[in-house]
Amino acid sequence: MLTIDGKQVCESLAEVIDPSRAALAVIDIENVPRWDQGPDRVIFDKVKLLTAAARGRGVPVFFFYNHRNRGLTDASAAVIRTWLNLGHRPDRFHEDFEPDYDKVRVHPGLEPREGDHVLPKHRGCAFEGTDFDLMLRTLRRESVVLVGCSTDWCLEATAWSATNKDYYVAVVEDCTRSPRPHGHEAALRQFRDLGLDLTTSEELLELWG
């Protein structure tokens, strides 16, 4: 640790992700077929290893998924506009986004355990409208380790919010994905350019023993 202006500042990645300091946030790995095959399955399996390692070292694990109220009463006109821009059909909004739609849940293969935290969210950022910040401060956590989807939307929004709330942020770059490859690469590049910590699942598993 460095001492700067009387503050103890993490000097290394190992200090940032120390089990006494960190929490693992799994963003929007939901019950959809993409996680069951191909490159996304590789990410899924790595995330599952990380959740097990986190539990073994006493690192709190937070799972997030997107949630909508019945009738989409919490979906503003601006949110609906983004759905339209992304190609969603208006006649499928209720089927795709209402909370009883089975896909809008944490993927059952991740098997959240007793002691894990499962938080539904209504917007991209995991801090917006949830108790995430309160729970992190209650647990005396200073660092947020991010994995999941999408690199250039929900995960990115969460990273900037965490930074603005004075948390250390580490992004596990081989455990993130986006349906927009250019957006994925742009987000990772911006994380590096603006001074966030990036790591890999292999390095994190080694540091967590």
Side-chain angles (χ1 to χ4, degrees), residues 72-188:
L72 304 180
T73 56
D74 63 340
S76 68
V79 167
I80 291 172
R81 173 66 178 168
T82 64
W83 294 346
L84 292 171
N85 286 341
L86 289 172
H88 292 284
R89 290 167 32 194
D91 62 333
R92 288 185 56 88
F93 283 172
H94 289 277
E95 182 179 357
D96 289 346
F97 296 111
E98 283 207 12
D100 58 349
Y101 189 53
D102 185 55
K103 289 182 180 178
V104 191
R105 298 287 187 273
V106 174
H107 196 293
L110 288 176
E111 300 170 351
R113 307 288 179 84
E114 184 177 355
D116 294 344
H117 309 274
V118 180
L119 299 179
K121 60 187 181 66
H122 294 263
R123 294 294 183 266
C125 175
F127 287 94
E128 188 70 29
T130 73
D131 290 333
F132 190 30
D133 185 40
L134 173 65
M135 295 173 76
L136 288 173
R137 297 191 189 282
T138 299
L139 294 168
R140 298 184 178 182
R141 298 289 145 169
E142 302 173 75
S143 303
V144 178
V145 180
L146 290 171
V147 299
C149 182
S150 295
T151 320
D152 55 343
W153 191 340
C154 298
L155 191 142
E156 186 171 17
T158 302
W160 298 140
S161 185
T163 300
N164 289 330
K165 294 179 186 298
D166 293 331
Y167 291 101
Y168 296 102
V169 175
V171 178
V172 187
E173 58 184 315
D174 63 325
C175 289
T176 69
R177 57 92 60 198
S178 171
R180 298 163 293 276
H182 293 302
H184 170 78
E185 293 300 330
L188 292 178

Side-chain angles (χ1 to χ4, degrees), residues 33-45 176-178:
R34 77 167 63 97
W35 298 109
D36 298 327
Q37 57 193 349
D40 290 338
R41 181 68 198 193
V42 175
I43 293 173
F44 183 92
D45 290 340
T176 69
R177 57 92 60 198
S178 171

